[in-house]
Amino acid sequence: MKKKIRLQDQKVQDIVIDMANDLGVSYEKSNQEYCVSIPENMGSGYIRSFEFDFGVGVVETDYLLKKEFQFHLKKGIVHPLKVIFNRESNFFHCFEEDDKLNEVKRLESVIAASTPTNNHIFKIPADQPICIFSLEINRKLFEEKIESFLPDMNEDLMNLFRDVNGIRQFYYKNYYSLEISKLISEFTECELTGFMRQVYLEGKAYEIFTLLLKQYLDDLRDPDKRQIIRQATIESIETAVSIIENEIETIGNIVNIAKRVGLNQNTLQNGFKQLYNTSVNEFIKNHRIETAKDLLESSNLNITEITYKVGINSRSYFSKLFKKKYGIAPKQYLDKVRNNKDDSRSA
């Protein structure tokens, strides 16, 4: 059975206070931070809010619920602009008067603005680890901060931030970047206290916000021309690396690898260039030669056997690559390794 909770959501602390009142528990307050823990009979974890200047705030949630929660934000209120980052299991969002239920997957971000007559609803599943980081921006208070920069913005963003009375509904979803993921971790893991903590966290919030705006503009590009690598793409690239490392003897071509990890060839190539400063083919070539060197040192295989073992069909080509990388022919290196082994045994 689900639990329905109504929240005011004018200030970020409203979420914590209303949550605590609904659950019949107390909340903690320290300077501009509020925190409520989920009672044991309903699950575990917490919801925490952070308030900064110019209407900027953060709501951080990390919990596991025993039953589905539905959060209904109250009508008649101009809710903050929400920039939501899902760090863990999937949850759902919709606007009350709309039929469409949007699933927010792990590593996706959402920019969402409701209207006073069509408010947010969040559906949080039971028995799933939920970890959400949300930037909350009161556009009326934030206007002073951003007004002089608006004319230089993308038209959609300019209209979004000028809509201080919440007249227009807005919804945008995509995967967020590795840089944003790292900044969120730095925010949530901060161990500073007092004034230094407040200044540090506010700075991180603005860094995250800046990168999100930069990413939004990058998302408008053709997918093959995007310059910012997404966190989800990185996981696919890491999967490609594992495939290369585990299947070096029989690894297919770039098109085959890209297909297996769910990326197009250009995205895979761009990802390897940004993460490893090399092409996919060069990465494969280097791993083959490094694996061959390990086999020369640790196995009883001969050079021809090692050549095929690392997926190279020509011994002369293998010798050329090995010498280029290590400055010595594989035959000479093998003799050197085995002579050293003989010397150590005789000693």
Side-chain angles (χ1 to χ4, degrees):
M1 184 177 179
K2 62 178 177 286
K3 179 169 179 59
K4 187 174 180 179
I5 300 174
R6 292 196 175 276
L7 304 171
Q8 288 189 81
D9 188 36
Q10 285 181 295
K11 297 181 178 180
V12 289
Q13 60 260 38
D14 292 339
I15 294 175
V16 172
I17 295 171
D18 283 2
M19 184 81 171
N21 290 337
D22 193 282
L23 298 178
V25 296
S26 60
Y27 62 86
E28 298 177 4
K29 179 182 183 299
S30 175
N31 297 318
Q32 299 302 312
E33 296 181 28
Y34 290 70
C35 182
V36 59
S37 297
I38 305 296
E40 289 185 10
N41 64 316
M42 293 185 179
S44 60
Y46 63 87
I47 298 176
R48 181 178 286 124
S49 71
F50 306 80
E51 184 179 8
F52 306 115
D53 294 334
F54 297 102
V56 176
V58 166
V59 176
E60 179 206 349
T61 67
D62 189 347
Y63 49 61
L64 183 71
L65 303 174
K66 292 182 178 180
K67 59 183 176 182
E68 178 186 312
F69 275 25
Q70 288 190 8
F71 297 107
H72 291 244
L73 275 57
K74 292 183 179 179
K75 282 190 174 183
I77 294 174
V78 180
H79 297 294
L81 174 66
K82 297 182 178 298
V83 183
I84 303 164
F85 303 92
N86 185 12
R87 307 177 70 201
E88 199 50 76
S89 303
N90 300 1
F91 64 92
F92 298 88
H93 169 274
C94 66
F95 296 104
E96 189 172 51
E97 296 180 359
D98 296 353
D99 295 329
K100 186 177 181 182
L101 188 65
N102 297 297
E103 184 176 20
V104 184
K105 299 177 182 178
R106 180 173 179 265
L107 305 180
E108 284 188 328
S109 61
V110 171
I111 305 175
S114 64
T115 68
T117 59
N118 194 12
N119 58 305
H120 299 281
I121 296 177
F122 293 92
K123 296 184 179 182
I124 310 298
D127 303 315
Q128 298 291 327
I130 301 297
C131 191
I132 302 169
F133 183 92
S134 180
L135 278 171
E136 309 273 326
I137 300 172
N138 181 322
R139 286 170 285 178
K140 189 165 286 189
L141 297 176
F142 195 63
E143 186 177 22
E144 180 184 347
K145 184 83 169 177
I146 202 172
E147 178 61 31
S148 62
F149 300 100
L150 287 176
D152 298 324
M153 278 191 174
N154 163 275
E155 185 177 357
D156 288 340
L157 289 178
M158 180 176 66
N159 291 333
L160 179 64
F161 286 106
R162 281 189 168 153
D163 184 20
V164 296
N165 295 313
I167 303 301
R168 302 180 190 88
Q169 186 175 300
F170 186 91
Y171 187 88
Y172 184 83
K173 183 176 72 168
N174 210 332
Y175 287 99
Y176 58 90
S177 70
L178 176 65
E179 288 179 280
I180 289 176
S181 180
K182 289 179 178 178
L183 288 173
I184 291 173
S185 294
E186 289 171 1
F187 185 106
T188 59
E189 295 168 9
C190 174
E191 296 181 352
L192 296 171
T193 59
F195 175 74
M196 287 190 294
R197 177 177 176 82
Q198 182 74 2
V199 171
Y200 179 86
L201 294 181
E202 184 171 13
K204 289 298 172 187
Y206 275 105
E207 282 188 79
I208 293 165
F209 180 58
T210 301
L211 287 182
L212 189 280
L213 295 181
K214 184 178 178 182
Q215 180 178 306
Y216 175 85
L217 297 176
D218 193 55
D219 286 342
L220 300 179
R221 302 171 183 261
D222 184 276
D224 292 341
K225 296 181 180 179
R226 290 175 183 168
Q227 298 176 351
I228 299 174
I229 186 168
R230 305 303 187 268
Q231 175 71 17
T233 303
I234 289 172
E235 293 196 346
S236 295
I237 292 168
E238 289 173 342
T239 300
V241 169
S242 295
I243 290 172
I244 291 168
E245 291 176 344
N246 294 327
E247 303 176 22
I248 194 63
E249 185 175 357
T250 58
I251 192 68
N253 57 30
I254 299 173
V255 175
N256 176 264
I257 297 171
K259 185 176 180 180
R260 288 178 65 181
V261 300
L263 299 175
N264 65 49
Q265 183 178 341
N266 288 336
T267 301
L268 186 66
Q269 288 282 26
N270 291 338
F272 267 77
K273 190 67 178 175
Q274 289 189 50
L275 288 178
Y276 305 108
N277 198 32
T278 187
S279 68
V280 178
N281 279 334
E282 281 298 317
F283 187 93
I284 293 172
K285 188 189 299 181
N286 285 333
H287 185 65
R288 280 178 167 150
I289 300 306
E290 289 167 2
T291 302
K293 179 174 177 287
D294 291 340
L295 290 171
L296 288 170
E297 294 171 352
S298 61
S299 75
N300 294 320
L301 299 175
N302 61 42
I303 292 175
T304 300
E305 290 171 325
I306 289 173
T307 299
Y308 288 109
K309 190 76 174 172
V310 298
I312 298 175
N313 296 323
S314 167
R315 176 167 168 165
S316 61
Y317 180 59
F318 167 69
S319 296
K320 179 181 177 181
L321 293 177
F322 191 94
K323 187 170 184 178
K324 182 178 180 180
K325 184 171 180 65
Y326 294 111
I328 186 173
K331 178 66 170 64
Q332 293 174 296
Y333 187 78
L334 182 61
D335 291 341
K336 182 180 178 181
V337 167
R338 291 182 178 173
N339 286 337
N340 288 339
K341 286 182 178 178
D342 292 339
D343 290 343
S344 62
R345 277 195 293 266
S346 62

